[in-house]
């Protein structure tokens, strides 16, 4: 390994450590990081397990898998389009726990049904509120972190 590579790796490791230290030292970024971590840990398995739901719960084929995934995506697109239309009087920071809770509720309702049409409805709504949660959390994080640390913090959070 060359000296330049070693210096670059040391600098990168130091910047990553600084970003984590910043996140854990400040309550706002720490709370948002925890929410994103929890959200990712709970939401990702649903998409990974979706093929099993389609075959074992809905007793359907690959077309239904594509439909459910497409409905989730359509919900996310609709969520992105509606996110900017929230009333100005509604506190934006309230949208984060609301959307995280609604996403979790939709996932629970999806897992509790054996009807493909109802499952599709819950997937579409889950996609809609998922994008609210993700966009609102990332926006809040960017606003809470100063210019000097923003890029590093967003890199370690993502």
């Amino acid at each position: 390994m060359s000296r330049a590579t070693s210096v670059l790796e040391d600098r990168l490791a130091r910047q990553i450590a600084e970003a984590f230290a910043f996140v854990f030292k400040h309550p706002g970024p720490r709370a948002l990081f925890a929410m994103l971590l929890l959200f990712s840990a709970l939401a990702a398995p649903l998409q990974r397990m979706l093929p099993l739901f389609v075959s074992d719960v809905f007793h359907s084929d690959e077309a239904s898998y594509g439909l459910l995934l497409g409905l989730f995506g359509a919900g996310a697109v609709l969520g992105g389009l509606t996110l900017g239309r929230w009333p100005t009087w509604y506190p934006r920071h309230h949208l984060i726990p609301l959307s995280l809770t609604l996403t979790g509720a939709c996932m629970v309702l999806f897992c509790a049904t054996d009807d493909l049409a109802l499952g599709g409805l819950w997937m579409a709504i889950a996609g809609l509120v998922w994008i609210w949660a993700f966009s609102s959390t990332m926006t809040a994080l960017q606003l809470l972190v100063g210019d000097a640390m923003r890029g590093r913090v967003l890199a370690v959070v993502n």
Side-chain angles (χ1 to χ4, degrees):
M1 177 173 11
S2 73
R3 169 102 173 112
T5 303
S6 176
V7 170
L8 185 61
E9 287 176 353
D10 290 345
R11 183 174 172 218
L12 180 62
R14 189 176 60 253
Q15 288 180 345
I16 291 170
E18 288 172 0
F20 275 115
F22 179 88
V23 167
F24 292 115
K25 181 180 176 186
H26 296 88
R30 184 176 53 235
L32 291 168
F33 178 74
M35 283 186 232
L36 281 170
L37 188 64
L38 178 66
F39 184 61
S40 296
L42 296 175
L46 178 64
Q47 289 182 343
R48 288 191 187 98
M49 300 301 252
L50 194 55
L52 290 175
F53 273 94
V54 169
S55 64
D56 294 352
V57 176
F58 300 130
H59 307 290
S60 194
D61 58 5
E62 296 87 14
S64 297
Y65 169 72
L67 174 68
L68 290 173
L69 210 50
L71 287 169
F72 186 85
V77 169
L78 184 61
L81 294 172
T82 60
L83 191 56
R85 307 245 186 267
W86 276 83
T88 55
W89 56 264
Y90 187 81
R92 289 292 180 156
H93 64 279
H94 289 184
L95 188 57
I96 296 169
L98 172 68
S99 56
L100 288 169
T101 302
L102 290 174
T103 302
C106 286
M107 288 189 289
V108 167
L109 291 167
F110 173 80
C111 292
T113 187
D114 60 358
D115 179 55
L116 183 61
L118 195 54
L121 173 68
W122 296 129
M123 284 296 285
I125 296 171
L128 183 135
V129 294
W130 174 83
I131 203 69
W132 288 355
F134 186 75
S135 294
S136 298
T137 305
M138 292 306 290
T139 300
L141 189 60
Q142 290 178 46
L143 293 173
L144 284 174
V145 177
D147 293 343
M149 290 297 292
R150 188 173 296 126
R152 285 178 267 183
V153 167
L154 290 175
V156 298
V157 167
N158 282 329

